[in-house]
Amino acid sequence: MKVKKYVASSMPEAMKVIRAELGPEAVILKSRSVKVGGFLGAFTKKKLEVIAGVDDQVKKPKKYVKNHTNEELMKQVNELKQLITTMQPSRNTSVEYPLLVQKAISFLQHQEIEERLLKEVRDKVMELYYTTPSLGDKQLVEWLKNWFEEYLSHSECSKVFQKKYINVVGPTGVGKTTTLAKLAASCILEQNQRVAFITTDTYRISAIDQLKTYASILNVPVEVCYNSEDFQQALQRFNEYDIVFIDTAGRNFLDSQYIHDLHNMLSFNEYMETFLVLTATAKMADLREVYKQFSNIPIDSIILTKLDETTTFGPIINLLTECQLPAAFITIGQDVPDDLEKYTTKKIVDYLFGDWKYE
């Protein structure tokens, strides 16, 4: 293989020279930032050192003529993919991305998008940058939004309220009772359905009082259940109602006994639809642990709450990309039922890029 070192101001400039000298079959072997010129260490300039090579068996044409546009474009794309691979950061290499690409990477890092997902986005954005002339902020953000929407397409819940009993579970402090009231109000006002409440949250008197207040406002009955026998009797009492909403206790999700108690109290059967309520204000580590704990019971979909109380949406994006559950609703405030919205990938991606500063 013929190997040669090049020093240029940028990767596009280096690639242009490499193609001219070594031909389209050349590959990038290594790249790194170097300092050149100056006097006694001062007034140096940053350059890009690129080592490229070409197989000696490949005969380089005297003059490269682009006769087949599609073939040449594919070769350039492959070269870019090779370039992206060789430009991954290592201990001995400091990679400098184009400013617009670096802006996208920094923004997503600030949003706490995890590295596993960030790497996929970074590779695609680099490819976009070198194949799109005059790429600007708006065009890049539009492309990023489309990419994330497609990547999250599996997370949209196609159907909800397909069963008679609607169960809401989750850790303490995520807003389960208020969310349950919003769901019930939407069924009453939009579907004109007969609704009833059951609560098994007997650990907090305030929780019972809160649900009774909502029940009074919505003019629906409510039953408080202290054990599985009470629960079965409540199910019988509300047998004629269209939908029965079940509120559960909010307790420490790290306590495995909590999940055990849910199993003992509730009938997780084919007549029950269960929502896991998660807050957008939680850290990624906590979201992952909550999902792990509650995956021991049959969860149908997720409800994301308190989107109005954070500016960082990476953790819930990370969770949605790695868990197999769809999301059904989001909440954006305390008003019942106005601050409940159907989840869509477009909405969550719009939240993700809501703080992007255009230039």
Side-chain angles (χ1 to χ4, degrees), residues 41-312:
F43 307 108
T44 59
K45 294 183 179 180
K46 278 190 176 183
K47 295 284 187 177
L48 189 65
E49 181 184 275
V50 181
I51 298 177
V54 65
D55 193 338
D56 290 332
Q57 301 301 319
V58 179
K59 185 178 180 180
K60 191 181 78 169
K62 295 181 179 180
K63 185 176 182 181
Y64 177 62
V65 181
K66 187 173 71 173
N67 295 323
H68 304 285
T69 304
N70 291 337
E71 291 182 6
E72 171 63 11
L73 179 59
M74 287 305 300
K75 287 179 181 179
Q76 291 183 14
V77 169
N78 290 332
E79 288 176 7
L80 288 171
K81 288 180 178 178
Q82 176 68 24
L83 167 63
I84 291 165
T85 300
T86 61
M87 288 182 66
Q88 300 307 316
S90 65
R91 292 181 180 178
N92 301 320
T93 304
S94 177
V95 176
E96 291 188 4
Y97 295 101
L99 290 179
L100 188 57
V101 176
Q102 183 57 53
K103 179 179 179 180
I105 295 171
S106 298
F107 177 83
L108 293 174
Q109 287 174 330
H110 178 73
Q111 282 290 320
E112 299 180 18
I113 293 292
E114 289 186 323
E115 180 60 29
R116 63 176 178 82
L117 182 54
L118 187 62
K119 181 182 181 300
E120 290 192 52
V121 180
R122 181 172 56 224
D123 291 353
K124 295 294 185 181
V125 170
M126 281 291 290
E127 189 174 321
L128 175 72
Y129 181 85
Y130 284 115
T131 55
T132 307
S134 304
L135 182 68
D137 263 40
K138 291 185 178 180
Q139 190 177 3
L140 175 59
V141 171
E142 190 64 28
W143 184 93
L144 285 167
K145 285 184 175 183
N146 290 335
W147 188 90
F148 272 96
E149 284 183 37
E150 183 177 353
Y151 198 89
L152 290 166
S153 59
H154 72 282
S155 66
E156 287 194 0
C157 185
S158 58
K159 295 180 180 179
V160 293
F161 302 150
Q162 297 299 298
K163 301 177 183 179
K164 180 180 180 68
Y165 302 104
I166 307 299
N167 184 31
V168 177
V169 301
T172 182
V174 296
K176 290 190 302 299
T177 303
T178 302
T179 299
L180 181 138
K182 292 174 181 177
L183 295 173
S186 67
C187 288
I188 295 170
L189 299 175
E190 297 174 14
Q191 306 296 327
N192 196 30
Q193 293 177 310
R194 294 185 66 207
V195 169
F197 285 153
I198 293 176
T199 180
T200 64
D201 188 359
T202 57
Y203 294 89
R204 298 178 301 127
I205 298 300
S206 60
I208 297 175
D209 292 340
Q210 183 183 16
L211 188 61
K212 285 184 174 179
T213 299
Y214 286 134
S216 176
I217 294 172
L218 297 172
N219 193 29
V220 300
V222 58
E223 282 286 325
V224 180
C225 300
Y226 294 88
N227 51 50
S228 58
E229 183 178 350
D230 290 345
F231 182 74
Q232 293 301 322
Q233 290 176 354
L235 294 182
Q236 289 296 321
R237 180 190 169 190
F238 296 141
N239 188 51
E240 300 301 321
Y241 283 78
D242 297 318
I243 294 185
V244 179
F245 287 93
I246 304 165
D247 193 17
T248 60
R251 293 166 62 186
N252 184 357
F253 64 88
L254 297 176
D255 184 0
S256 58
Q257 183 63 37
Y258 173 34
I259 306 300
H260 180 72
D261 291 345
L262 282 175
H263 269 291
N264 289 339
M265 174 72 78
L266 305 181
S267 303
F268 291 102
N269 54 37
E270 66 272 21
Y271 304 109
M272 181 175 291
E273 185 175 348
T274 301
F275 293 101
L276 172 60
V277 182
L278 301 172
T279 173
T281 60
K283 297 181 296 184
M284 183 61 220
D286 290 339
L287 286 173
R288 186 175 282 118
E289 188 61 31
V290 169
Y291 172 69
K292 177 182 176 182
Q293 292 286 349
F294 281 91
S295 63
N296 292 318
I297 60 177
I299 303 295
D300 293 287
S301 56
I302 294 172
I303 296 177
L304 300 167
T305 62
K306 304 185 181 183
L307 269 74
D308 59 312
E309 296 182 24
T310 184
T311 58
T312 305

